[in-house]
């Protein structure tokens, strides 16, 4: 191609001249090449992807990794054209994570992250607009053990005492979240010690039936809920 009698070069990043699949760089001089003030897009490259007609080339390196201190899942993909990522937990789509370019577009390498709050098997699937091109990798985030033997007993006209048995071993449990629903209202309270085995709920409504749910927690990750039901009656 030519513009204003100047050559416009488009070449593969590794300077190979043969037409092939890859990322191409377009250099467009803005002045005569011999001018001292020559400025070109060479200084601000524009990258053009050229791929085969039926498929793109996508791969995931290192599988999916979990950072428990940050509660994040990460998978790294390489390929093109531009990719999209879908996260699933136990085959159910979850909120799409973030996608960030790790380095320049020549390698088309991306890092995909997702914040985790629930245990399960998570899968990162990366795809582009080529129907036959997709790559996926999975990992399992181990759940916390749930408390057992949950009971809820009326303790006053508008109060409930909730008791449970702590898991043995505690496996890193740092506390519990006790939730309640009933009487047209709901709420939750937290317990900050993993060794605690009871909690007092008050300010409820007499004559209503409440469902109590308790989960073990650590650093933002929760166990499966255990429930109990109690009705408040005049006593």
């Amino acid at each position: 191609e030519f513009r204003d009698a100047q050559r416009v070069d488009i070449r593969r990043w590794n300077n190979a001249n043969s037409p092939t699949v890859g990322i191409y760089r377009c250099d467009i001089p803005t002045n005569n090449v011999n001018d001292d003030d020559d400025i070109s897009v060479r200084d601000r490259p524009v990258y053009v992807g050229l791929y085969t007609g039926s498929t793109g080339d996508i791969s995931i390196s290192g599988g999916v990794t979990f950072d428990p201190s940050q509660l994040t899942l990460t998978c790294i993909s390489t390929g093109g054209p531009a990719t999209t990522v879908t996260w699933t937990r136990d085959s159910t789509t979850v909120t799409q994570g973030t996608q960030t370019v790790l380095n320049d577009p020549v390698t088309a390498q991306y890092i995909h992250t997702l914040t985790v709050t629930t245990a399960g098997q998570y899968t990162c699937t990366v795809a582009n607009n080529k129907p036959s091109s997709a790559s996926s990798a999975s990992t399992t985030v181990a759940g916390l053990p749930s408390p057992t033997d949950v009971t809820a007993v009326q303790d006053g006209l508008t109060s409930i005492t909730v008791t449970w048995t702590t898991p043995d071993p505690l496996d890193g449990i740092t506390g519990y979240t006790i939730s309640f629903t009933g009487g047209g209202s709901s709420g939750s309270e937290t317990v900050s010690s993993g060794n605690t085995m009871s909690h007092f709920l008050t300010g409820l409504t007499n004559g209503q039936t409440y469902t109590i749910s308790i989960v073990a927690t650590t650093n933002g990750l929760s166990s499966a809920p255990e429930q109990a039901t109690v009705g408040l009656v005049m006593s």
Side-chain angles (χ1 to χ4, degrees), residues 16-54:
N17 293 320
S18 60
T20 186
V21 173
I23 301 289
Y24 285 75
R25 165 174 169 161
C26 181
D27 294 330
I28 308 175
T30 57
N31 297 292
N32 293 328
V33 293
N34 294 323
D35 289 352
D36 291 337
D37 60 349
D38 174 58
I39 301 174
S40 80
V41 180
R42 185 189 303 269
D43 301 310
R44 295 176 297 279
V46 175
Y47 295 97
V48 180
L50 178 65
Y51 303 92
T52 58
S54 61

Side-chain angles (χ1 to χ4, degrees), residues 71-105:
L71 287 179
T72 54
L73 291 168
T74 300
C75 78
I76 298 173
S77 70
T78 301
T83 61
T84 58
V85 60
T86 302
W87 287 95
T88 58
R89 182 185 69 246
D90 299 330
S91 301
T92 299
T93 301
V94 294
T95 302
Q96 183 168 317
T98 60
Q99 176 169 288
T100 306
V101 179
L102 277 180
N103 41 37
D104 64 57

Side-chain angles (χ1 to χ4, degrees), residues 41-202:
V41 180
R42 185 189 303 269
D43 301 310
R44 295 176 297 279
V46 175
Y47 295 97
V48 180
L50 178 65
Y51 303 92
T52 58
S54 61
T55 184
D57 181 19
I58 296 176
S59 62
I60 292 177
S61 59
V64 178
T65 58
F66 177 55
D67 181 351
S69 65
Q70 300 294 324
L71 287 179
T72 54
L73 291 168
T74 300
C75 78
I76 298 173
S77 70
T78 301
T83 61
T84 58
V85 60
T86 302
W87 287 95
T88 58
R89 182 185 69 246
D90 299 330
S91 301
T92 299
T93 301
V94 294
T95 302
Q96 183 168 317
T98 60
Q99 176 169 288
T100 306
V101 179
L102 277 180
N103 41 37
D104 64 57
V106 172
T107 58
Q109 193 173 43
Y110 299 88
I111 181 170
H112 316 282
T113 59
L114 180 75
T115 300
V116 175
T117 58
T118 305
Q121 185 183 53
Y122 286 83
T123 300
C124 168
T125 301
V126 182
N128 56 24
N129 61 0
K130 303 297 184 182
S132 61
S133 180
S135 183
S136 63
S138 301
T139 193
T140 298
V141 177
L144 293 175
S146 300
T148 58
D149 305 320
V150 179
T151 62
V153 178
Q154 182 171 349
D155 190 358
L157 294 179
T158 59
S159 304
I160 293 172
T161 294
V162 184
T163 60
W164 61 90
T165 300
T166 60
D168 183 20
L170 287 176
D171 285 340
I173 292 173
T174 57
Y176 303 90
T177 298
I178 298 96
S179 303
F180 60 90
T181 58
S185 64
S186 62
S188 64
E189 297 182 9
T190 59
V191 175
S192 59
S193 172
N195 294 310
T196 305
M197 299 179 67
S198 67
H199 187 68
F200 184 66
L201 291 172
T202 190

